[in-house]
Amino acid sequence: MLKQFLLAVVIFSLLVSCKTEIKKETSQLTEKDKQKPNIVVIYVDDLGYGDIGVNGAIGASTPNIDKLANNGINFTDAHCSAATCTPSRYSLLTGSYAFRNNAQILQGDAPLLINSDEATLPKMLQKNGYKTAVVGKWHLGLGDGEVDWNKEVAPGPREIGFDYSFLIPATGDRVPAVYLENQKVMNLDPNDPLKVSYKGKIGNLPTGFENPDLLRQVPDGQHNKTIVNGISRIGFMSGGRSAWWVDEEFPDVLVGKAKKFINENRDTPFFLYLAYHDIHVPRLPNEKFLGKSSMGVRGDVIEQMDWCTGEVVKYLEELGLDRNTLVLFSSDNGPVLNDGYQDESVEKLGNHKPAGPFRGGKYSALEAGTRMPTIAYWPGTISSKTSNALWSQVDLYASIAALTGHDLDDREAPDSFNMLDVILGKTEYGRKEMLEESFTLSLRLGEWKYIAPTKRNPKWIDNKGVESGFSSEPQLFNLREDISETKNVAKDNETLVKEIQERIKMIKEKGSRLL
Ligand code: NG6
Ligand code: CA
């Protein structure tokens, strides 16, 4: 009983000290900090902690990203909110954990996941004088469930706060394989209407399961539907031929649209959410990058994505905007090698470690699922360092609110903490407690990491070469002694496990900031 009481006191004081510290630090914002800098969030898909040079990559070189890390802050304990894409993106844009909206990987014809009346990061920035844009992978659903792709698609990014949008609507491996600009399919010929189905085949375009001879990469049983550009996708599509994308053009197209938005808004504060398709499957590098790395196409698209990053940062410099722009670089979930197509990523990996020192990867409850390569770069404001502070992308909402002088009300971004001083490198005192979502929930508390029991088969992602970390038993790891989560000490710490379980229940019921 006494032990339990003492533990509760320890946890409580950890949390209280964390909050007080954040409050105190916030008031140190200088006038310069409040001048509404531009904000560019560069969001990579499926990039692992160990996939960039500064974090030990050996199979691909990333000089442009390394430059940002060496001249900014390289975070060692920064997280996306979940181990898959849609939930992480949902949290980044709303400041809410994804389970609150049951956010899960969406198909390409899913309705918009975020309600038009929900508070979002871009809406909050619009209210504070920003022009806002999303360029790249969306994967948050579009329309109301009955989309006619030949008309304007709404609701979409505009309804949740983006003035401009240029989208890969879901993922590169899902139909529709077309771009949408400001919610209209680009280059569509009205005489060749575009239709999409996830229920069964429509039209007579070849599919991977019927015409494997037409394929450039061998797909699994999900990725074997309509063939576009020699690659079969998840889902069926017919028509719209003049609008089909060419995967190899993604880097030039996305960088081009990003630069155009930056240039057009150079005289007003802007927020650019630049979400690459890379390094998700299908991995189809542009010929400029094909064969450049030593580990096959996965390494080539890492180098391609590094080039894109360099192009955007150089453009900010060219326009003289770099000293007034906060660039945040991160990824939406951990790494995976085989995620639907046989593309030699497994065979050519060599000694490269996509997850760095961590165990797990995409989909996994282990640290590599959410611990992301993360960099903050702002020449003249942020100085060079490595930071071990714990924080999450769900915190971007409250942190950016603080940066732009916006006060949050209680219902806004309920899981988002103001980590601005962590992001600006003024403190390494980050979160003491943080939820991680996968196909179960985990909680980081100080040096501890708890993974809730789940009935999901622990071996379900074995064929992807990723350890799930799932177990029907509660798991507790001490990350200070055991960074790779190999020794489950839950049985030796039953009281702590109970406290953490209680804590998760409270976060679920009330929202993290209201506790
Ligand atoms: C999975 C797909 C995977 C990938 C993922 C989404 C199968 C078997 N696997 O369902 O290939 O598309 O969804 O990735 O279909 S994410 O990064 O957008 O979350
Ligand atoms: Ca992803």
Side-chain angles (χ1 to χ4, degrees), residues 266-488:
R266 57 201 285 178
D267 296 325
T268 164
F270 62 80
F271 168 58
L272 169 63
Y273 168 52
L274 173 57
Y276 301 138
H277 155 75
D278 287 329
I279 62 166
H280 199 280
V281 296
R283 303 179 184 115
L284 300 163
N286 184 284
E287 60 180 7
K288 288 188 281 214
F289 304 98
L290 187 63
K292 269 196 83 189
S293 78
S294 65
M295 58 174 185
V297 288
R298 187 172 178 279
D300 298 347
V301 294
I302 290 177
E303 299 209 0
Q304 169 167 292
M305 174 283 292
D306 177 72
W307 173 85
C308 295
T309 305
E311 286 300 291
V312 172
V313 173
K314 273 184 237 153
Y315 194 62
L316 292 169
E317 286 162 9
E318 253 172 72
L319 296 183
L321 296 173
D322 55 313
R323 294 177 72 84
N324 191 33
T325 305
L326 168 62
V327 177
L328 292 162
F329 173 95
S330 199
S331 171
D332 71 335
N333 55 247
V336 61
L337 299 178
N338 176 0
D339 203 19
Y341 304 96
Q342 290 173 28
D343 65 6
E344 295 194 323
S345 296
V346 178
E347 294 84 337
K348 294 196 171 163
L349 184 66
N351 293 324
H352 178 89
K353 293 201 165 33
F358 309 110
R359 232 175 104 209
K362 182 173 180 175
Y363 310 106
S364 162
L366 296 160
E367 279 296 281
T370 62
R371 205 187 276 226
M372 293 294 99
T374 304
I375 300 164
Y377 175 77
W378 185 355
T381 298
I382 289 181
S383 27
S384 155
K385 74 179 211 176
T386 301
S387 169
N388 298 326
L390 176 69
W391 66 284
S392 164
Q393 290 165 12
V394 80
D395 299 325
L396 282 180
Y397 193 124
S399 309
I400 292 177
L403 177 64
T404 55
H406 170 87
D407 290 327
L408 297 186
D409 72 41
D410 276 357
R411 284 156 321 193
E412 199 175 350
D415 300 303
S416 191
F417 284 110
N418 175 4
M419 289 286 138
L420 182 59
D421 289 340
V422 164
I423 295 171
L424 298 182
K426 293 179 184 169
T427 177
E428 280 193 45
Y429 204 96
R431 279 172 172 257
K432 276 285 177 276
E433 174 189 79
M434 186 192 72
L435 206 73
E436 298 175 9
E437 296 192 61
S438 55
F439 291 84
T440 181
L441 293 178
S442 310
L443 193 84
R444 289 278 307 271
L445 181 70
E447 68 204 48
W448 300 101
K449 157 89 176 269
Y450 166 81
I451 303 177
T454 167
K455 293 205 172 65
R456 195 174 267 264
N457 177 2
K459 300 226 172 288
W460 80 285
I461 45 179
D462 270 14
N463 64 342
K464 297 180 187 297
V466 172
E467 284 176 279
S468 69
F470 302 153
S471 165
S472 51
E473 299 291 321
Q475 296 174 87
L476 184 72
F477 301 100
N478 185 310
L479 296 186
R480 192 161 46 83
E481 290 160 9
D482 179 22
I483 196 67
S484 304
E485 298 163 277
T486 54
K487 196 164 169 268
N488 180 7

Side-chain angles (χ1 to χ4, degrees), residues 195 197 200-207 210 226 236-239:
K195 293 208 171 74
S197 164
K201 185 166 175 180
I202 48 169
N204 43 31
L205 292 173
T207 61
E210 293 161 312
T226 301
F236 297 95
M237 177 169 115
S238 76

Side-chain angles (χ1 to χ4, degrees), residues 250-261:
F250 284 163
D252 289 313
V253 170
L254 298 186
V255 166
K257 295 291 176 188
K259 282 186 180 175
K260 188 160 178 283
F261 171 78

Side-chain angles (χ1 to χ4, degrees), residues 44-46 83-86 89 137 280 331-334 362:
V44 195
D45 201 350
D46 296 0
T84 51
C85 163
T86 302
R89 283 160 210 254
K137 174 174 171 175
H280 199 280
S331 171
D332 71 335
N333 55 247
K362 182 173 180 175

